[in-house]
Short mmCIF file of all heavy atoms in Angstrom, two decimals:
data_model
loop_
_atom_site.label_atom_id
_atom_site.label_comp_id
_atom_site.label_asym_id
_atom_site.label_seq_id
_atom_site.Cartn_x
_atom_site.Cartn_y
_atom_site.Cartn_z
N MET A 6 0.92 8.24 -31.71
CA MET A 6 0.36 6.92 -31.56
C MET A 6 1.47 5.90 -31.77
O MET A 6 2.18 5.94 -32.77
CB MET A 6 -0.77 6.76 -32.59
CG MET A 6 -1.27 5.37 -32.73
SD MET A 6 -2.74 5.14 -33.76
CE MET A 6 -2.31 5.87 -35.30
N ALA A 7 1.58 4.99 -30.82
CA ALA A 7 2.60 3.95 -30.93
C ALA A 7 2.15 2.93 -31.96
O ALA A 7 0.99 2.56 -32.03
CB ALA A 7 2.79 3.27 -29.58
N LEU A 8 3.08 2.50 -32.77
CA LEU A 8 2.78 1.51 -33.79
C LEU A 8 3.21 0.13 -33.31
O LEU A 8 4.25 -0.03 -32.68
CB LEU A 8 3.50 1.85 -35.09
CG LEU A 8 3.12 3.18 -35.76
CD1 LEU A 8 3.95 3.40 -37.01
CD2 LEU A 8 1.65 3.21 -36.09
N VAL A 9 2.38 -0.86 -33.62
CA VAL A 9 2.70 -2.26 -33.32
C VAL A 9 2.46 -3.07 -34.57
O VAL A 9 1.76 -2.62 -35.49
CB VAL A 9 1.86 -2.82 -32.15
CG1 VAL A 9 2.13 -2.07 -30.86
CG2 VAL A 9 0.38 -2.78 -32.48
N GLN A 10 3.01 -4.23 -34.59
CA GLN A 10 2.85 -5.10 -35.75
C GLN A 10 1.88 -6.21 -35.41
O GLN A 10 1.89 -6.74 -34.29
CB GLN A 10 4.19 -5.70 -36.14
CG GLN A 10 4.15 -6.51 -37.41
CD GLN A 10 5.54 -6.95 -37.85
OE1 GLN A 10 6.54 -6.65 -37.22
NE2 GLN A 10 5.60 -7.67 -38.95
N ILE A 11 1.01 -6.55 -36.36
CA ILE A 11 0.13 -7.71 -36.19
C ILE A 11 0.38 -8.65 -37.36
O ILE A 11 0.81 -8.23 -38.43
CB ILE A 11 -1.37 -7.33 -36.12
CG1 ILE A 11 -1.83 -6.65 -37.41
CG2 ILE A 11 -1.64 -6.42 -34.94
CD1 ILE A 11 -3.34 -6.46 -37.47
N ALA A 12 0.10 -9.90 -37.13
CA ALA A 12 0.26 -10.89 -38.20
C ALA A 12 -0.98 -11.77 -38.21
O ALA A 12 -1.52 -12.13 -37.17
CB ALA A 12 1.50 -11.74 -37.95
N THR A 13 -1.44 -12.08 -39.40
CA THR A 13 -2.59 -12.96 -39.55
C THR A 13 -2.50 -13.67 -40.89
O THR A 13 -1.81 -13.22 -41.80
CB THR A 13 -3.91 -12.15 -39.45
OG1 THR A 13 -5.01 -13.05 -39.44
CG2 THR A 13 -4.05 -11.15 -40.55
N ARG A 14 -3.20 -14.75 -41.00
CA ARG A 14 -3.23 -15.48 -42.27
C ARG A 14 -4.51 -15.10 -43.00
O ARG A 14 -5.59 -15.11 -42.42
CB ARG A 14 -3.18 -16.98 -42.02
CG ARG A 14 -1.87 -17.42 -41.42
CD ARG A 14 -1.84 -18.95 -41.36
NE ARG A 14 -0.63 -19.40 -40.71
CZ ARG A 14 0.55 -19.54 -41.32
NH1 ARG A 14 0.65 -19.29 -42.60
NH2 ARG A 14 1.60 -19.96 -40.66
N ILE A 15 -4.38 -14.75 -44.27
CA ILE A 15 -5.53 -14.43 -45.10
C ILE A 15 -5.41 -15.16 -46.43
O ILE A 15 -4.32 -15.60 -46.81
CB ILE A 15 -5.68 -12.90 -45.33
CG1 ILE A 15 -4.47 -12.35 -46.08
CG2 ILE A 15 -5.91 -12.17 -44.04
CD1 ILE A 15 -4.64 -10.92 -46.55
N ASP A 16 -6.49 -15.26 -47.12
CA ASP A 16 -6.52 -15.89 -48.44
C ASP A 16 -5.55 -15.13 -49.36
O ASP A 16 -5.55 -13.90 -49.39
CB ASP A 16 -7.95 -15.82 -48.98
CG ASP A 16 -8.12 -16.60 -50.27
OD1 ASP A 16 -7.50 -16.20 -51.29
OD2 ASP A 16 -8.89 -17.57 -50.27
N SER A 17 -4.76 -15.85 -50.11
CA SER A 17 -3.77 -15.23 -50.99
C SER A 17 -4.42 -14.33 -52.03
O SER A 17 -3.84 -13.33 -52.46
CB SER A 17 -2.90 -16.28 -51.66
OG SER A 17 -3.69 -17.12 -52.49
N ARG A 18 -5.65 -14.66 -52.44
CA ARG A 18 -6.35 -13.83 -53.43
C ARG A 18 -6.73 -12.47 -52.85
O ARG A 18 -6.69 -11.46 -53.54
CB ARG A 18 -7.59 -14.56 -53.94
CG ARG A 18 -7.23 -15.84 -54.72
CD ARG A 18 -8.44 -16.68 -54.96
NE ARG A 18 -8.93 -17.16 -53.65
CZ ARG A 18 -9.95 -17.98 -53.51
NH1 ARG A 18 -10.62 -18.41 -54.56
NH2 ARG A 18 -10.35 -18.37 -52.31
N ILE A 19 -7.07 -12.46 -51.56
CA ILE A 19 -7.39 -11.18 -50.91
C ILE A 19 -6.13 -10.32 -50.82
O ILE A 19 -6.15 -9.13 -51.12
CB ILE A 19 -8.00 -11.41 -49.52
CG1 ILE A 19 -9.35 -12.09 -49.65
CG2 ILE A 19 -8.13 -10.09 -48.75
CD1 ILE A 19 -9.96 -12.53 -48.33
N LYS A 20 -5.03 -10.95 -50.43
CA LYS A 20 -3.77 -10.21 -50.34
C LYS A 20 -3.39 -9.63 -51.70
O LYS A 20 -2.99 -8.46 -51.81
CB LYS A 20 -2.64 -11.10 -49.83
CG LYS A 20 -1.31 -10.35 -49.70
CD LYS A 20 -0.22 -11.26 -49.14
CE LYS A 20 1.06 -10.49 -48.92
NZ LYS A 20 1.88 -10.37 -50.10
N GLN A 21 -3.52 -10.42 -52.74
CA GLN A 21 -3.18 -9.95 -54.08
C GLN A 21 -4.09 -8.79 -54.48
O GLN A 21 -3.62 -7.80 -55.05
CB GLN A 21 -3.31 -11.09 -55.09
CG GLN A 21 -2.92 -10.69 -56.49
CD GLN A 21 -3.02 -11.85 -57.48
OE1 GLN A 21 -3.36 -12.97 -57.11
NE2 GLN A 21 -2.73 -11.57 -58.73
N ALA A 22 -5.37 -8.88 -54.18
CA ALA A 22 -6.31 -7.81 -54.52
C ALA A 22 -5.95 -6.52 -53.79
O ALA A 22 -5.96 -5.43 -54.37
CB ALA A 22 -7.74 -8.23 -54.20
N VAL A 23 -5.60 -6.64 -52.52
CA VAL A 23 -5.20 -5.47 -51.73
C VAL A 23 -3.94 -4.84 -52.32
O VAL A 23 -3.86 -3.63 -52.48
CB VAL A 23 -5.00 -5.84 -50.24
CG1 VAL A 23 -4.32 -4.71 -49.48
CG2 VAL A 23 -6.33 -6.20 -49.60
N GLU A 24 -2.97 -5.68 -52.64
CA GLU A 24 -1.73 -5.16 -53.22
C GLU A 24 -2.00 -4.43 -54.54
O GLU A 24 -1.45 -3.35 -54.78
CB GLU A 24 -0.73 -6.29 -53.44
CG GLU A 24 -0.15 -6.84 -52.16
CD GLU A 24 0.70 -8.08 -52.37
OE1 GLU A 24 0.54 -8.78 -53.41
OE2 GLU A 24 1.54 -8.35 -51.50
N GLU A 25 -2.85 -5.01 -55.38
CA GLU A 25 -3.15 -4.39 -56.67
C GLU A 25 -3.87 -3.05 -56.49
O GLU A 25 -3.52 -2.07 -57.15
CB GLU A 25 -4.00 -5.34 -57.52
CG GLU A 25 -3.21 -6.52 -58.05
CD GLU A 25 -4.08 -7.51 -58.82
OE1 GLU A 25 -5.22 -7.16 -59.19
OE2 GLU A 25 -3.60 -8.64 -59.04
N VAL A 26 -4.85 -3.02 -55.61
CA VAL A 26 -5.59 -1.77 -55.37
C VAL A 26 -4.66 -0.70 -54.81
O VAL A 26 -4.70 0.45 -55.24
CB VAL A 26 -6.79 -2.02 -54.42
CG1 VAL A 26 -7.37 -0.71 -53.91
CG2 VAL A 26 -7.86 -2.83 -55.13
N CYS A 27 -3.84 -1.08 -53.86
CA CYS A 27 -2.92 -0.11 -53.26
C CYS A 27 -1.92 0.41 -54.29
O CYS A 27 -1.64 1.61 -54.32
CB CYS A 27 -2.20 -0.73 -52.06
SG CYS A 27 -3.28 -0.93 -50.63
N THR A 28 -1.42 -0.46 -55.14
CA THR A 28 -0.49 -0.04 -56.18
C THR A 28 -1.17 0.90 -57.16
O THR A 28 -0.63 1.96 -57.50
CB THR A 28 0.07 -1.27 -56.94
OG1 THR A 28 0.79 -2.09 -56.01
CG2 THR A 28 1.01 -0.85 -58.05
N GLN A 29 -2.35 0.53 -57.62
CA GLN A 29 -3.09 1.36 -58.58
C GLN A 29 -3.41 2.74 -58.04
O GLN A 29 -3.42 3.72 -58.78
CB GLN A 29 -4.40 0.67 -58.99
CG GLN A 29 -4.20 -0.57 -59.82
CD GLN A 29 -5.50 -1.35 -59.98
OE1 GLN A 29 -6.53 -0.99 -59.43
NE2 GLN A 29 -5.43 -2.45 -60.72
N ARG A 30 -3.70 2.81 -56.75
CA ARG A 30 -4.15 4.08 -56.17
C ARG A 30 -3.08 4.79 -55.37
O ARG A 30 -3.34 5.82 -54.76
CB ARG A 30 -5.37 3.82 -55.29
CG ARG A 30 -6.51 3.26 -56.12
CD ARG A 30 -7.75 3.10 -55.35
NE ARG A 30 -8.76 2.49 -56.21
CZ ARG A 30 -10.03 2.56 -55.99
NH1 ARG A 30 -10.49 3.21 -54.95
NH2 ARG A 30 -10.87 1.98 -56.82
N GLY A 31 -1.89 4.24 -55.35
CA GLY A 31 -0.80 4.88 -54.64
C GLY A 31 -0.96 4.87 -53.13
O GLY A 31 -0.55 5.81 -52.44
N LEU A 32 -1.55 3.81 -52.62
CA LEU A 32 -1.78 3.70 -51.18
C LEU A 32 -0.76 2.77 -50.55
O LEU A 32 -0.24 1.86 -51.20
CB LEU A 32 -3.18 3.13 -50.92
CG LEU A 32 -4.36 3.89 -51.51
CD1 LEU A 32 -5.65 3.09 -51.34
CD2 LEU A 32 -4.49 5.25 -50.86
N LYS A 33 -0.51 2.99 -49.27
CA LYS A 33 0.35 2.08 -48.52
C LYS A 33 -0.52 0.99 -47.92
O LYS A 33 -1.60 1.26 -47.40
CB LYS A 33 1.10 2.83 -47.43
CG LYS A 33 2.07 3.83 -48.00
CD LYS A 33 2.89 4.46 -46.92
CE LYS A 33 3.87 5.43 -47.59
NZ LYS A 33 4.96 5.78 -46.73
N ILE A 34 -0.05 -0.25 -48.01
CA ILE A 34 -0.84 -1.39 -47.53
C ILE A 34 -1.14 -1.26 -46.05
O ILE A 34 -2.27 -1.52 -45.61
CB ILE A 34 -0.14 -2.72 -47.84
CG1 ILE A 34 -0.12 -2.95 -49.35
CG2 ILE A 34 -0.82 -3.88 -47.13
CD1 ILE A 34 0.62 -4.19 -49.80
N GLY A 35 -0.18 -0.85 -45.26
CA GLY A 35 -0.40 -0.71 -43.82
C GLY A 35 -1.52 0.26 -43.51
O GLY A 35 -2.38 -0.01 -42.65
N ARG A 36 -1.52 1.39 -44.20
CA ARG A 36 -2.57 2.39 -43.99
C ARG A 36 -3.93 1.85 -44.46
O ARG A 36 -4.95 2.06 -43.82
CB ARG A 36 -2.22 3.68 -44.73
CG ARG A 36 -3.22 4.79 -44.56
CD ARG A 36 -3.39 5.11 -43.08
NE ARG A 36 -4.44 6.04 -42.88
CZ ARG A 36 -4.35 7.12 -42.13
NH1 ARG A 36 -3.23 7.39 -41.49
NH2 ARG A 36 -5.37 7.93 -42.00
N PHE A 37 -3.92 1.14 -45.58
CA PHE A 37 -5.15 0.55 -46.11
C PHE A 37 -5.76 -0.42 -45.09
O PHE A 37 -6.96 -0.37 -44.81
CB PHE A 37 -4.84 -0.18 -47.42
CG PHE A 37 -6.02 -0.81 -48.06
CD1 PHE A 37 -6.81 -0.11 -48.97
CD2 PHE A 37 -6.36 -2.13 -47.79
CE1 PHE A 37 -7.91 -0.69 -49.57
CE2 PHE A 37 -7.46 -2.73 -48.39
CZ PHE A 37 -8.24 -2.00 -49.28
N VAL A 38 -4.94 -1.28 -44.54
CA VAL A 38 -5.42 -2.27 -43.57
C VAL A 38 -5.89 -1.57 -42.30
O VAL A 38 -6.94 -1.90 -41.74
CB VAL A 38 -4.32 -3.32 -43.27
CG1 VAL A 38 -4.71 -4.22 -42.11
CG2 VAL A 38 -4.02 -4.14 -44.52
N GLN A 39 -5.14 -0.58 -41.83
CA GLN A 39 -5.53 0.15 -40.63
C GLN A 39 -6.88 0.83 -40.83
O GLN A 39 -7.76 0.75 -39.96
CB GLN A 39 -4.47 1.19 -40.29
CG GLN A 39 -4.80 1.98 -39.03
CD GLN A 39 -3.67 2.89 -38.62
OE1 GLN A 39 -2.54 2.44 -38.47
NE2 GLN A 39 -3.97 4.16 -38.43
N ASP A 40 -7.08 1.48 -41.96
CA ASP A 40 -8.36 2.14 -42.25
C ASP A 40 -9.50 1.12 -42.33
O ASP A 40 -10.60 1.37 -41.85
CB ASP A 40 -8.28 2.94 -43.54
CG ASP A 40 -7.44 4.20 -43.40
OD1 ASP A 40 -7.11 4.59 -42.26
OD2 ASP A 40 -7.11 4.79 -44.45
N ALA A 41 -9.22 -0.04 -42.92
CA ALA A 41 -10.24 -1.08 -43.04
C ALA A 41 -10.65 -1.60 -41.66
O ALA A 41 -11.83 -1.81 -41.39
CB ALA A 41 -9.74 -2.22 -43.91
N LEU A 42 -9.67 -1.77 -40.78
CA LEU A 42 -9.97 -2.23 -39.43
C LEU A 42 -10.78 -1.19 -38.66
O LEU A 42 -11.73 -1.52 -37.96
CB LEU A 42 -8.68 -2.56 -38.68
CG LEU A 42 -7.93 -3.80 -39.18
CD1 LEU A 42 -6.55 -3.89 -38.52
CD2 LEU A 42 -8.74 -5.05 -38.93
N LEU A 43 -10.42 0.07 -38.80
CA LEU A 43 -11.18 1.14 -38.14
C LEU A 43 -12.61 1.20 -38.66
O LEU A 43 -13.56 1.36 -37.88
CB LEU A 43 -10.49 2.49 -38.33
CG LEU A 43 -9.23 2.71 -37.51
CD1 LEU A 43 -8.53 3.99 -37.95
CD2 LEU A 43 -9.55 2.76 -36.03
N ASP A 44 -12.77 1.07 -39.98
CA ASP A 44 -14.12 1.06 -40.57
C ASP A 44 -14.95 -0.08 -40.00
O ASP A 44 -16.13 0.10 -39.69
CB ASP A 44 -14.05 0.94 -42.09
CG ASP A 44 -13.60 2.21 -42.77
OD1 ASP A 44 -13.60 3.28 -42.14
OD2 ASP A 44 -13.26 2.12 -43.97
N LYS A 45 -14.36 -1.25 -39.86
CA LYS A 45 -15.09 -2.40 -39.34
C LYS A 45 -15.46 -2.19 -37.88
O LYS A 45 -16.59 -2.51 -37.47
CB LYS A 45 -14.26 -3.68 -39.50
CG LYS A 45 -14.99 -4.93 -39.13
CD LYS A 45 -16.21 -5.15 -40.02
CE LYS A 45 -16.92 -6.43 -39.71
NZ LYS A 45 -18.06 -6.68 -40.60
N LEU A 46 -14.56 -1.63 -37.09
CA LEU A 46 -14.87 -1.35 -35.68
C LEU A 46 -16.03 -0.36 -35.56
O LEU A 46 -16.92 -0.53 -34.73
CB LEU A 46 -13.63 -0.81 -34.96
CG LEU A 46 -12.51 -1.82 -34.72
CD1 LEU A 46 -11.26 -1.10 -34.21
CD2 LEU A 46 -12.96 -2.89 -33.73
N GLU A 47 -16.01 0.66 -36.40
CA GLU A 47 -17.10 1.65 -36.39
C GLU A 47 -18.41 1.00 -36.81
O GLU A 47 -19.47 1.28 -36.23
CB GLU A 47 -16.76 2.82 -37.30
CG GLU A 47 -15.66 3.70 -36.77
CD GLU A 47 -15.22 4.77 -37.75
OE1 GLU A 47 -15.78 4.86 -38.86
OE2 GLU A 47 -14.30 5.52 -37.41
N GLU A 48 -18.36 0.14 -37.80
CA GLU A 48 -19.55 -0.56 -38.26
C GLU A 48 -20.16 -1.41 -37.14
O GLU A 48 -21.37 -1.40 -36.92
CB GLU A 48 -19.19 -1.45 -39.45
CG GLU A 48 -20.33 -2.27 -40.00
CD GLU A 48 -19.85 -3.20 -41.11
OE1 GLU A 48 -19.12 -2.74 -42.00
OE2 GLU A 48 -20.21 -4.39 -41.06
N LEU A 49 -19.31 -2.13 -36.42
CA LEU A 49 -19.79 -2.96 -35.32
C LEU A 49 -20.38 -2.11 -34.20
O LEU A 49 -21.38 -2.49 -33.60
CB LEU A 49 -18.65 -3.84 -34.79
CG LEU A 49 -18.16 -4.92 -35.76
CD1 LEU A 49 -16.91 -5.60 -35.21
CD2 LEU A 49 -19.25 -5.94 -36.04
N GLU A 50 -19.78 -0.97 -33.95
CA GLU A 50 -20.31 -0.06 -32.93
C GLU A 50 -21.68 0.48 -33.37
O GLU A 50 -22.61 0.57 -32.57
CB GLU A 50 -19.35 1.10 -32.69
CG GLU A 50 -19.77 1.99 -31.55
CD GLU A 50 -18.73 3.05 -31.25
OE1 GLU A 50 -17.52 2.74 -31.29
OE2 GLU A 50 -19.13 4.19 -30.97
N ASP A 51 -21.80 0.82 -34.65
CA ASP A 51 -23.08 1.31 -35.18
C ASP A 51 -24.17 0.25 -35.04
O ASP A 51 -25.31 0.57 -34.73
CB ASP A 51 -22.94 1.73 -36.65
CG ASP A 51 -22.13 2.99 -36.83
OD1 ASP A 51 -21.89 3.71 -35.84
OD2 ASP A 51 -21.72 3.26 -37.98
N ILE A 52 -23.82 -1.01 -35.26
CA ILE A 52 -24.79 -2.09 -35.14
C ILE A 52 -25.29 -2.17 -33.70
O ILE A 52 -26.49 -2.33 -33.46
CB ILE A 52 -24.17 -3.43 -35.59
CG1 ILE A 52 -24.00 -3.45 -37.10
CG2 ILE A 52 -25.03 -4.62 -35.12
CD1 ILE A 52 -23.20 -4.62 -37.64
N GLU A 53 -24.39 -2.02 -32.74
CA GLU A 53 -24.80 -2.05 -31.34
C GLU A 53 -25.71 -0.86 -31.02
O GLU A 53 -26.68 -1.00 -30.29
CB GLU A 53 -23.58 -2.06 -30.42
CG GLU A 53 -22.79 -3.36 -30.47
CD GLU A 53 -23.64 -4.59 -30.19
OE1 GLU A 53 -24.41 -4.59 -29.21
OE2 GLU A 53 -23.54 -5.57 -30.95
N ASP A 54 -25.40 0.31 -31.58
CA ASP A 54 -26.26 1.48 -31.38
C ASP A 54 -27.65 1.23 -31.96
O ASP A 54 -28.65 1.60 -31.35
CB ASP A 54 -25.65 2.73 -32.04
CG ASP A 54 -24.41 3.22 -31.32
OD1 ASP A 54 -24.18 2.82 -30.17
OD2 ASP A 54 -23.66 4.01 -31.93
N LEU A 55 -27.70 0.61 -33.13
CA LEU A 55 -28.99 0.32 -33.76
C LEU A 55 -29.81 -0.64 -32.90
O LEU A 55 -31.03 -0.49 -32.77
CB LEU A 55 -28.80 -0.27 -35.15
CG LEU A 55 -28.38 0.71 -36.23
CD1 LEU A 55 -28.07 -0.04 -37.52
CD2 LEU A 55 -29.46 1.74 -36.47
N LYS A 56 -29.15 -1.62 -32.32
CA LYS A 56 -29.86 -2.55 -31.44
C LYS A 56 -30.47 -1.81 -30.26
O LYS A 56 -31.59 -2.12 -29.84
CB LYS A 56 -28.91 -3.64 -30.93
CG LYS A 56 -28.52 -4.66 -31.97
CD LYS A 56 -27.55 -5.67 -31.37
CE LYS A 56 -27.04 -6.64 -32.41
NZ LYS A 56 -26.04 -7.57 -31.84
N ALA A 57 -29.74 -0.82 -29.74
CA ALA A 57 -30.22 -0.08 -28.57
C ALA A 57 -31.41 0.80 -28.90
O ALA A 57 -32.32 0.97 -28.08
CB ALA A 57 -29.08 0.76 -27.99
N ILE A 58 -31.45 1.38 -30.11
CA ILE A 58 -32.53 2.32 -30.45
C ILE A 58 -33.66 1.66 -31.23
O ILE A 58 -34.66 2.30 -31.51
CB ILE A 58 -32.00 3.54 -31.23
CG1 ILE A 58 -31.44 3.13 -32.58
CG2 ILE A 58 -30.99 4.30 -30.41
CD1 ILE A 58 -31.09 4.31 -33.47
N ARG A 59 -33.50 0.42 -31.55
CA ARG A 59 -34.47 -0.27 -32.41
C ARG A 59 -35.89 -0.20 -31.89
O ARG A 59 -36.84 -0.06 -32.66
CB ARG A 59 -34.04 -1.72 -32.57
CG ARG A 59 -34.89 -2.51 -33.51
CD ARG A 59 -34.31 -3.88 -33.70
NE ARG A 59 -35.08 -4.60 -34.69
CZ ARG A 59 -34.87 -5.85 -34.99
NH1 ARG A 59 -33.91 -6.51 -34.40
NH2 ARG A 59 -35.61 -6.45 -35.88
N PHE A 60 -36.06 -0.29 -30.60
CA PHE A 60 -37.41 -0.34 -30.04
C PHE A 60 -37.82 0.96 -29.36
O PHE A 60 -38.79 0.99 -28.61
CB PHE A 60 -37.51 -1.53 -29.07
CG PHE A 60 -37.30 -2.84 -29.76
CD1 PHE A 60 -36.12 -3.54 -29.60
CD2 PHE A 60 -38.27 -3.37 -30.61
CE1 PHE A 60 -35.91 -4.76 -30.26
CE2 PHE A 60 -38.07 -4.57 -31.27
CZ PHE A 60 -36.90 -5.27 -31.09
N GLU A 61 -37.08 2.04 -29.63
CA GLU A 61 -37.49 3.33 -29.09
C GLU A 61 -38.78 3.77 -29.78
O GLU A 61 -38.99 3.50 -30.96
CB GLU A 61 -36.40 4.38 -29.33
CG GLU A 61 -35.20 4.23 -28.44
CD GLU A 61 -34.19 5.35 -28.64
OE1 GLU A 61 -34.40 6.24 -29.49
OE2 GLU A 61 -33.17 5.32 -27.95
N PRO A 62 -39.63 4.47 -29.04
CA PRO A 62 -40.87 4.94 -29.67
C PRO A 62 -40.57 5.97 -30.76
O PRO A 62 -39.58 6.70 -30.69
CB PRO A 62 -41.64 5.57 -28.51
CG PRO A 62 -40.63 5.84 -27.46
CD PRO A 62 -39.52 4.87 -27.66
N THR A 63 -41.43 6.00 -31.76
CA THR A 63 -41.26 6.96 -32.84
C THR A 63 -42.27 8.10 -32.68
O THR A 63 -43.25 7.97 -31.96
CB THR A 63 -41.47 6.29 -34.21
OG1 THR A 63 -42.78 5.72 -34.24
CG2 THR A 63 -40.43 5.22 -34.46
N LYS A 64 -42.00 9.21 -33.36
CA LYS A 64 -42.89 10.36 -33.34
C LYS A 64 -43.71 10.38 -34.62
O LYS A 64 -43.24 9.96 -35.67
CB LYS A 64 -42.08 11.66 -33.27
CG LYS A 64 -41.44 11.93 -31.96
CD LYS A 64 -40.80 13.32 -32.01
CE LYS A 64 -40.31 13.72 -30.65
NZ LYS A 64 -39.79 15.09 -30.66
N SER A 65 -44.90 10.90 -34.50
CA SER A 65 -45.72 11.06 -35.69
C SER A 65 -45.17 12.21 -36.53
O SER A 65 -44.46 13.08 -36.03
CB SER A 65 -47.17 11.35 -35.30
OG SER A 65 -47.27 12.66 -34.75
N TRP A 66 -45.54 12.23 -37.81
CA TRP A 66 -45.12 13.30 -38.72
C TRP A 66 -45.60 14.65 -38.21
O TRP A 66 -44.88 15.64 -38.25
CB TRP A 66 -45.64 13.00 -40.12
CG TRP A 66 -45.29 14.02 -41.15
CD1 TRP A 66 -46.15 14.79 -41.84
CD2 TRP A 66 -43.99 14.37 -41.60
NE1 TRP A 66 -45.46 15.60 -42.72
CE2 TRP A 66 -44.13 15.37 -42.59
CE3 TRP A 66 -42.69 13.94 -41.28
CZ2 TRP A 66 -43.05 15.95 -43.23
CZ3 TRP A 66 -41.61 14.53 -41.95
CH2 TRP A 66 -41.80 15.51 -42.90
N THR A 67 -46.80 14.70 -37.67
CA THR A 67 -47.36 15.94 -37.14
C THR A 67 -46.52 16.46 -35.97
O THR A 67 -46.24 17.66 -35.88
CB THR A 67 -48.82 15.71 -36.67
OG1 THR A 67 -49.56 15.17 -37.75
CG2 THR A 67 -49.46 17.00 -36.20
N ASP A 68 -46.11 15.54 -35.08
CA ASP A 68 -45.27 15.95 -33.94
C ASP A 68 -43.91 16.45 -34.40
O ASP A 68 -43.38 17.40 -33.84
CB ASP A 68 -45.11 14.79 -32.96
CG ASP A 68 -46.39 14.46 -32.21
OD1 ASP A 68 -47.29 15.33 -32.17
OD2 ASP A 68 -46.48 13.34 -31.68
N VAL A 69 -43.34 15.80 -35.41
CA VAL A 69 -42.04 16.25 -35.94
C VAL A 69 -42.17 17.66 -36.50
O VAL A 69 -41.35 18.53 -36.21
CB VAL A 69 -41.51 15.27 -37.01
CG1 VAL A 69 -40.28 15.84 -37.70
CG2 VAL A 69 -41.20 13.91 -36.42
N LEU A 70 -43.19 17.89 -37.30
CA LEU A 70 -43.39 19.23 -37.86
C LEU A 70 -43.62 20.26 -36.77
O LEU A 70 -43.10 21.38 -36.82
CB LEU A 70 -44.57 19.23 -38.83
CG LEU A 70 -44.37 18.46 -40.13
CD1 LEU A 70 -45.66 18.46 -40.94
CD2 LEU A 70 -43.23 19.05 -40.95
N SER A 71 -44.37 19.87 -35.76
CA SER A 71 -44.63 20.78 -34.64
C SER A 71 -43.32 21.10 -33.90
O SER A 71 -43.07 22.26 -33.56
CB SER A 71 -45.63 20.14 -33.68
OG SER A 71 -45.84 20.97 -32.57
N ASP A 72 -42.50 20.09 -33.65
CA ASP A 72 -41.21 20.30 -32.97
C ASP A 72 -40.32 21.24 -33.78
O ASP A 72 -39.56 22.03 -33.22
CB ASP A 72 -40.48 18.98 -32.74
CG ASP A 72 -41.16 18.12 -31.69
OD1 ASP A 72 -42.07 18.62 -30.98
OD2 ASP A 72 -40.78 16.93 -31.58
N LEU A 73 -40.41 21.15 -35.09
CA LEU A 73 -39.59 22.00 -35.96
C LEU A 73 -40.24 23.36 -36.22
O LEU A 73 -39.68 24.20 -36.92
CB LEU A 73 -39.35 21.29 -37.31
CG LEU A 73 -38.52 20.01 -37.25
CD1 LEU A 73 -38.51 19.33 -38.59
CD2 LEU A 73 -37.10 20.31 -36.78
N GLU A 74 -41.43 23.52 -35.65
CA GLU A 74 -42.19 24.76 -35.80
C GLU A 74 -42.46 25.10 -37.25
O GLU A 74 -42.36 26.24 -37.68
CB GLU A 74 -41.50 25.92 -35.06
CG GLU A 74 -41.36 25.67 -33.57
CD GLU A 74 -40.61 26.74 -32.84
OE1 GLU A 74 -40.16 27.73 -33.47
OE2 GLU A 74 -40.44 26.60 -31.62
N LEU A 75 -42.80 24.07 -38.04
CA LEU A 75 -43.08 24.28 -39.46
C LEU A 75 -44.59 24.36 -39.73
O LEU A 75 -44.99 24.67 -40.84
CB LEU A 75 -42.47 23.14 -40.30
CG LEU A 75 -40.95 23.12 -40.32
CD1 LEU A 75 -40.46 21.91 -41.10
CD2 LEU A 75 -40.39 24.39 -40.94
N ASP A 76 -45.40 24.05 -38.73
CA ASP A 76 -46.86 24.15 -38.85
C ASP A 76 -47.39 23.48 -40.12
O ASP A 76 -48.22 24.04 -40.84
CB ASP A 76 -47.31 25.62 -38.82
CG ASP A 76 -46.94 26.28 -37.50
OD1 ASP A 76 -47.00 25.59 -36.46
OD2 ASP A 76 -46.59 27.46 -37.52
N GLY A 77 -46.88 22.30 -40.43
CA GLY A 77 -47.40 21.57 -41.58
C GLY A 77 -46.85 21.99 -42.92
O GLY A 77 -47.24 21.47 -43.95
N GLU A 78 -45.94 22.93 -42.95
CA GLU A 78 -45.38 23.40 -44.22
C GLU A 78 -43.96 22.85 -44.38
O GLU A 78 -43.12 23.06 -43.53
CB GLU A 78 -45.34 24.92 -44.27
CG GLU A 78 -46.70 25.55 -44.21
CD GLU A 78 -46.63 27.08 -44.23
OE1 GLU A 78 -45.58 27.61 -44.65
OE2 GLU A 78 -47.60 27.69 -43.80
N VAL A 79 -43.75 22.16 -45.47
CA VAL A 79 -42.42 21.61 -45.74
C VAL A 79 -41.91 22.17 -47.05
O VAL A 79 -42.59 22.34 -47.99
CB VAL A 79 -42.45 20.07 -45.79
CG1 VAL A 79 -41.08 19.53 -46.08
CG2 VAL A 79 -42.99 19.51 -44.50
#
């Protein structure tokens, strides 16, 4: 994977908190930020998935048990 540099302005208190956490836990700041960005992207994708399935019909408990072939026994 090719690496590129990004620059942004953030609150100095956030930067300090990130530095402290990374120092305490032995993490690299670049990796920490990259993981945080990936987590946020996944979260946004999940939100879009939820919007798509929000109005899908649901199954009754009886139908779920029947599909699982449990015949009412859990």
Side-chain angles (χ1 to χ4, degrees):
M6 169 172 55
L8 298 178
V9 297
Q10 185 173 0
I11 62 171
T13 187
R14 294 187 184 277
I15 62 170
D16 187 295
S17 63
R18 295 168 295 183
I19 294 173
K20 181 178 184 276
Q21 182 179 358
V23 169
E24 289 173 338
E25 288 176 15
V26 167
C27 287
T28 299
Q29 291 170 357
R30 299 185 183 201
L32 303 172
K33 294 186 179 198
I34 292 176
R36 181 58 187 228
F37 180 89
V38 171
Q39 181 173 306
D40 288 347
L42 291 170
L43 286 171
D44 286 345
K45 187 61 177 183
L46 289 171
E47 289 173 1
E48 178 184 313
L49 292 172
E50 186 175 320
D51 289 345
I52 288 170
E53 291 305 313
D54 290 344
L55 286 174
K56 287 178 185 177
I58 64 172
R59 185 175 184 185
F60 297 106
E61 286 184 359
T63 58
K64 288 186 172 185
S65 70
W66 180 243
T67 305
D68 290 341
V69 171
L70 291 175
S71 177
D72 290 349
L73 295 173
E74 300 176 0
L75 293 176
D76 299 324
E78 297 179 20
V79 180

